Amino acid sequence: MKNTALVLVGHGSTRHPDGAAPVLALAEDIRRRDLFAEVVAVFMKQDPPLAAVDRLVSAPTVVVVPVFAGKGYYTDTLIPREIGLTGQVTERDGRRFLYTAPAGTHPRIPGLLACRAEGVANAAGMAVADSALLLIAHGSARPGGAGDTPRAIAAAIAAMNRFAEVALVFLEQEPHAASWAGRMTRRDVVALPLLVAQGMHASRDIPPLFGLGSGETGPKAANGHRVVLATGIGAEPDLVEVILEMVATARAAGGV
């Protein structure tokens, strides 16, 4: 893949620049493996911006991977438009751009998250088979929302029958995260954000749902439950391998 550049696209934040840390760490980890001609990270909400891709990489083949938890307006419309992509394969200025699905849609993600949630439960002294897993996705206030990927992840984890129950709530659409307690029947709950970065939502919006402060994980008694809060998808160590698999698939499909 030495004739290929890898571009990781993150959300970023003008107010919480540390939210870019997981994507920057992924880029650095992959860069150290010396697999690609170039590895860069660009962001929607902070520098370097999406539009900088053409000047940041020069390889003849460029694979663009959105490091997002799921599909939605950003991954389907905004990112391709800002980078100048017209589909999964775009030929431009003598170069070939390959655009993958969001990292969160990879089929390995549900299993990885289930294993990590089990580890969090065990560390908190919770019996996994008698505990609930609460998945917290971003969602979208746009008509129709953006819940297809989180629903698929929730269904896949539920089918594994590891936790007594699996529920899904959203920050910006129904069912709203504030209603979480009424959706749980088990006392012990592992709350796992389907978010890549520990940015504003993970640090400011989600912990108070369980009476936690920023940076606190519990276990904490909340609304008749005992809750422990896990970190988001961006903290998953195997995310690097997921991205590399996606790159290999995109290169094969793109005839590279």
Side-chain angles (χ1 to χ4, degrees):
M1 295 188 285
K2 285 296 189 177
N3 67 339
T4 299
L6 173 61
V7 176
L8 302 180
V9 181
H11 189 283
S13 171
T14 55
R15 291 182 291 173
H16 297 270
D18 288 348
V23 178
L24 292 172
L26 283 170
E28 180 57 29
D29 191 338
I30 296 172
R31 194 178 295 118
R32 284 197 300 266
R33 300 185 183 209
D34 196 28
L35 299 172
F36 300 92
E38 301 151 304
V39 180
V40 301
V42 296
F43 300 92
M44 289 173 40
K45 299 287 186 178
Q46 66 187 76
D47 290 332
L50 303 182
V53 167
D54 280 343
R55 65 176 173 80
L56 290 176
V57 296
S58 58
T61 300
V62 181
V63 182
V64 180
V65 180
V67 188
F68 281 67
K71 287 174 60 64
Y73 172 74
Y74 289 157
T75 61
D76 292 349
T77 302
L78 193 147
I79 293 172
R81 184 183 69 203
E82 292 299 311
I83 297 180
L85 307 177
T86 57
Q88 291 181 317
V89 181
T90 302
E91 302 282 355
R92 191 177 75 231
D93 301 325
R95 304 167 77 192
R96 175 170 292 185
F97 291 80
L98 308 176
Y99 186 52
T100 77
T105 65
H106 192 278
R108 287 181 58 190
I109 291 296
L112 293 175
L113 295 180
C115 287
R116 185 148 56 86
E118 283 187 351
V120 171
N122 290 330
M126 298 177 174
V128 174
D130 196 38
S131 300
L133 175 60
L134 176 68
L135 301 174
I136 308 170
H138 189 280
S140 173
R142 294 175 177 273
D148 289 349
T149 302
R151 291 188 191 100
I153 290 174
I157 295 177
M160 297 174 191
N161 294 316
R162 298 183 182 182
F163 285 85
E165 61 185 4
V166 178
L168 171 66
V169 294
F170 295 91
L171 295 173
E172 294 196 359
Q173 68 185 65
E174 294 285 351
H176 284 289
S179 69
W180 72 269
R183 301 177 182 280
M184 303 279 94
T185 65
R186 301 290 172 150
R187 173 176 175 266
D188 288 343
V189 178
V190 177
L192 195 160
L194 295 181
L195 303 170
V196 170
Q198 294 295 108
M200 178 184 70
H201 292 305
S203 63
R204 189 189 73 182
D205 297 338
I206 292 178
L209 294 170
F210 313 108
L212 296 168
S214 179
E216 294 181 335
T217 60
K220 175 87 174 202
N223 297 98
H225 299 273
R226 185 166 68 116
V227 182
V228 61
L229 179 60
T231 51
I233 293 176
E236 179 54 56
D238 286 340
L239 192 55
V240 168
E241 302 304 327
V242 166
I243 289 172
L244 294 179
E245 287 182 21
M246 298 184 81
V247 170
T249 300
R251 280 169 48 88
V256 178

